[in-house]
Amino acid sequence: MALEIDGIVLRNRRIKSVYYLVEIYCPPIATTIQPGQFIMLKISDSNDPFLRRPFSVYKSYSAGHGKKKERGRLLILYKKVGKGTQRMTGFIKGQKVNIIGPLGNGFSLPPLPSSSNIILVGGGVGIVSLYALAESLKAAKLFVLIGGKTIDDILCEEDFRKLNSTIFIATEDGSLGFKGTVLDLFLSQQKTFKGNPSRYLYACGPEQMLKELARGVKPKNFTCQASLEARMGCGFGACWGCVVKTIDPKVPYQRVCKEGPVFNLMDIVWR
Ligand SMILES: Cc1cc2nc3c(=O)[nH]c(=O)nc-3n(C[C@H](O)[C@H](O)[C@H](O)COP(=O)(O)OP(=O)(O)OC[C@H]3O[C@@H](n4cnc5c(N)ncnc54)[C@H](O)[C@@H]3O)c2cc1C
Ligand code: FES
């Protein structure tokens, strides 16, 4: 069940380019949040911006975590794109921040992760929500495809390496790894995937990337789950500001915050 609760900022720093990492002490949410779920963060007490902003949790450490100093922490990796995230860069140690979470439905894990080859595809800051998932899939063989416009948009590579996954990188300008989109990269690696047949693909990234992926992969070969990003008003199902169109004739419009943010990639009607 979602809680509304104050967390305390422990650290907030720029990690590269326009990307920042904030660590918040909030044990009730850190202990319960599942991969793919998200939180709504109140950016300012002054109600400017008025609406909370949605964020995935990059890393979370439960109250019983092995490393005592990490316990109860939530880490949010965010990209400075507008007013709210600009304000977040000013969060200081000791500051209280109000959080609602955990929200939404996260990723479903394969029934037997240890016997699976799994492909994760993340574009830009979308890779963040896949890291928590990868941690729960440590027993599986993971192929991680990370895409971005330039080398500055390639995030979390070192973390995925520590999980012993096989990593492929694509940048649109060729400044790191394969030159092209993450879908071009995916298609170029068909031989690798054929030798390691996978039935599970998980993705998160900009709408354009997910749309291309939905067209480019052969759905019958995969169970494809994707975490969608949408502008959100409330974050908990009340305003219907975040709907996407789906192929389900009974429920053609579904709320990213409530029924999602994780959907079957092939169930979305892309514009
Ligand atoms: C479930 C979920 C999880 C998310 N997780 C993360 C995360 O882990 N890290 C992260 O950096 N961001 C994440 N986002 C996106 C983040 O919520 C937005 O970047 C943020 O709300 C922008 O706020 P702002 O006030 O800085 O930008 P605004 O001033 O509101 O907008 C600036 C620009 O960003 C675009 N924009 C704003 N919100 C979104 C959005 N939700 N999707 C696509 N474009 C948007 C606007 O169209 C505009 O062009 C997530 C979004 C969702 C829905
Ligand atoms: S943001 Fe209000 S219903 Fe989804």
Side-chain angles (χ1 to χ4, degrees), residues 38 53-56 77-79 81-86 125 128 228-232 261:
F38 67 99
R53 299 294 194 254
F55 291 95
S56 305
L77 199 164
Y78 62 100
K79 180 178 183 183
V81 292
K83 193 182 221 180
T85 44
Q86 167 70 47
V125 80
V128 168
L228 269 49
E229 284 193 7
R231 309 275 336 234
M232 288 186 180

Side-chain angles (χ1 to χ4, degrees), residues 38 40 230-243 254-259:
F38 67 99
M40 291 294 278
R231 309 275 336 234
M232 288 186 180
C234 65
F236 44 78
C239 72
W240 289 81
C242 63
V243 292
Q254 299 191 23
R255 294 160 294 184
V256 173
C257 70
K258 190 75 179 174
E259 286 77 36

